[in-house]
Amino acid sequence: CYGGPIGTGEALCQTLERGVRYDWAFSTAPYTVPSVASIHTSLYPSRHKLSQFSSDPMSEEVETLAEHLSRAGYQTGAFVSNPVIGGSRNLGQGFDVYDDTMNRTEMNRPGYSERTAVDTTEAALSWLGDVEGPWFLWIHYQDPHGPYQPPGAPPAVDAPGGGHPLEVSRNFLGYGRIPSYQALPGVRDIETYRDQYLAEIEYLNTSVSKLLAELEKRDPKAGILLTADHGEALGEDHYYFCHGHSLALDQIRVPLLWRPPGGTAAETRSAPVSLLDVAPTLLVSAGLPVPAAFEGQALEWARPEGSSNRVLFSEHPQRYATVVGNRYYAKDLGDLTRAGRDPNTMGRLRPLASRQAILGELVRGLPEYSDGAVAELDLLIDQAVSESAGVSSGSLDEATRDRLRALGYID
């Protein structure tokens, strides 16, 4: 339902049968920790201060969606499968159960544990089976994620004759090469890795299918929201099979499917929305007030879609991006050009309604985008950076440093 091959992710898209698909949804960051925190707090990373590049926990002064629901009488359960959002980061505020059991070692990083979609789903459904009264369940799946080798699937092999091979990088960075943590034995072809990524989606799809079926049995009127915390580069800007390096559309555009309680007529909406909107939407659907501190707004699925001039941001320690109406604009906060690794994304401007935006092509010289428009967007970003004083880096212990290095976020 987001343009992939026919039949891909059918269960994932099933939410749309009685819900709304948001065509242009954006994360607040291109990696997991700050983006997930934004989902739960409706705050930008520079406000909630939970950083990918820190081992500090989130402040208890920051209020979460789960805390508001818990105070309203909801039983709350969280089941996560990625160690970077384990309990030590304090994302469990407001959850009666925060299950971060990791029972599988990743094949290329022996010190990196995770949990499969199958096991995560089983744990979540087991908890739900004992719950009475109103409940809120959050599940964070690690799949699809590199290495692209779904559990139980046969080893990947390149097609005879090959297609577009890449060398394997000596590190975890994916500029022009296959990141070493992504490398599958004997596999070098770009197309094979892309097929493997689809296989990861299909592996997740099976678990989501079971989850949705069980939820339908328990409460067919339950509200269901499905999204992702960031994207993945599959060759855009010469980056392969990685994320976190930029705020390009392949990194921050995410799916967002929302089936409100009881369902609604299936439709697609084109006005840009943010992951900041998740918490307000769920509170409103529960009949609860939205705190004044929340920076997002509830998705208005029951009203006709109108024009949107909201200003949305995505943050990175060295970059900023903004979406205003149908304009996406990203800029570096300095000259970040590094030969052989980092293409400069200074002044990247795209119309969201175009195919060029999806393909990641630079759009310049379009009549509707004058130098004045660029200056206006520059000013918006300058003001946002000034107000936030940048993304807090916090402290970084050695274990977190090693994990970030393994993920390809730092050298």
Side-chain angles (χ1 to χ4, degrees):
C1 54
Y2 277 93
I6 297 297
T8 301
E10 287 185 346
L12 296 167
C13 294
Q14 182 181 330
T15 314
L16 184 60
E17 293 177 2
R18 287 190 285 146
V20 183
R21 178 174 73 94
Y22 292 87
D23 208 14
W24 293 102
F26 294 92
S27 64
T28 61
Y31 22 60
T32 296
V33 175
S35 181
V36 165
S38 290
I39 291 173
H40 288 277
T41 66
S42 192
L43 297 174
Y44 283 109
S46 48
R47 302 280 199 270
H48 62 61
K49 304 294 185 182
L50 199 61
S51 170
Q52 191 82 21
F53 306 98
S54 165
S55 50
D56 294 345
M58 187 170 66
S59 169
E60 292 185 0
E61 295 180 0
V62 177
E63 289 197 323
T64 66
L65 167 65
E67 286 180 295
H68 288 282
L69 290 170
S70 180
R71 285 197 290 266
Y74 280 72
Q75 295 190 60
T76 55
F79 297 84
V80 304
S81 55
N82 186 331
V84 302
I85 52 173
S88 65
R89 302 313 300 272
N90 210 22
L91 283 165
Q93 290 180 195
F95 283 104
D96 301 323
V97 172
Y98 193 89
D99 185 336
D100 60 353
T101 305
M102 306 293 156
N103 56 7
R104 178 176 183 257
T105 300
E106 191 188 289
M107 74 175 184
N108 285 343
R109 295 178 285 194
Y112 189 86
S113 299
E114 57 187 5
R115 177 163 53 179
T116 65
V118 169
D119 291 341
T120 305
T121 301
E122 289 296 333
L125 291 176
S126 176
W127 173 82
L128 191 59
D130 295 329
V131 168
E132 296 181 1
W135 50 270
F136 168 55
L137 170 62
W138 171 47
I139 304 177
H140 183 280
Y141 289 109
Q142 175 76 341
D143 317 277
H145 200 281
Y148 308 147
Q149 184 61 49
V157 294
D158 284 338
H164 299 87
L166 289 176
E167 296 180 7
V168 175
S169 174
R170 294 181 180 179
N171 54 37
F172 296 110
L173 304 175
Y175 183 61
R177 288 179 168 83
I178 301 166
S180 56
Y181 84 94
Q182 285 278 27
L184 301 174
V187 179
R188 298 294 179 266
D189 187 47
I190 293 173
E191 283 73 19
T192 303
Y193 279 91
R194 288 173 176 163
D195 288 343
Q196 287 294 110
Y197 185 72
L198 292 176
E200 286 270 328
I201 293 174
E202 284 307 298
Y203 173 76
L204 171 61
N205 188 69
T206 300
S207 287
V208 171
S209 178
K210 179 176 181 178
L211 174 69
L212 293 178
E214 292 299 320
L215 289 177
E216 193 71 16
K217 291 178 184 176
R218 180 184 176 92
D219 185 359
K221 294 185 178 181
I224 300 172
L225 192 147
L226 186 149
T227 190
D229 44 309
H230 57 73
E232 184 87 333
L234 300 179
E236 296 87 353
D237 292 331
H238 305 291
Y239 278 91
Y240 291 89
F241 321 125
C242 59
H243 56 270
H245 50 274
S246 80
L247 294 172
L249 287 171
D250 62 281
Q251 297 292 289
I252 62 171
R253 186 194 182 203
V254 293
L256 199 159
L257 298 163
W258 166 230
R259 191 187 85 181
T264 187
E267 65 172 307
T268 296
R269 299 209 166 189
S270 60
V273 296
S274 170
L275 292 188
L276 295 177
D277 302 336
V278 170
T281 298
L282 296 182
L283 286 178
V284 168
S285 73
L288 298 174
V290 177
F294 279 16
E295 296 183 281
Q297 64 184 42
L299 300 172
E300 297 182 346
W301 65 89
R303 301 181 186 176
E305 183 175 36
S307 61
S308 173
N309 289 314
R310 289 181 69 191
V311 178
L312 306 177
F313 291 101
S314 288
E315 301 178 343
H316 182 280
Q318 298 171 314
R319 299 174 169 90
Y320 247 77
T322 186
V323 173
V324 185
N326 70 341
R327 293 175 178 173
Y328 157 88
Y329 180 65
K331 65 177 289 188
D332 296 338
L333 302 181
D335 186 357
L336 302 180
T337 305
R338 279 179 275 177
R341 176 181 166 190
D342 245 334
N344 194 337
T345 58
M346 185 70 76
R348 174 170 291 192
L349 180 62
R350 299 190 184 121
L352 294 182
S354 73
R355 179 64 178 164
Q356 287 94 329
I358 297 173
L359 292 175
E361 298 171 1
L362 290 176
V363 177
R364 281 293 194 183
L366 296 180
E368 63 268 39
Y369 294 142
S370 63
D371 290 340
V374 172
E376 174 189 338
L377 295 169
D378 276 333
L379 181 60
L380 277 174
I381 287 177
D382 291 344
Q383 288 174 339
V385 173
S386 175
E387 291 174 5
S388 69
V391 179
S392 174
S393 58
S395 61
L396 192 63
D397 61 36
E398 197 56 39
T400 303
R401 189 182 303 277
D402 290 342
R403 188 160 60 238
L404 291 172
R405 189 177 293 113
L407 286 167
Y409 294 140
I410 63 175
D411 293 326

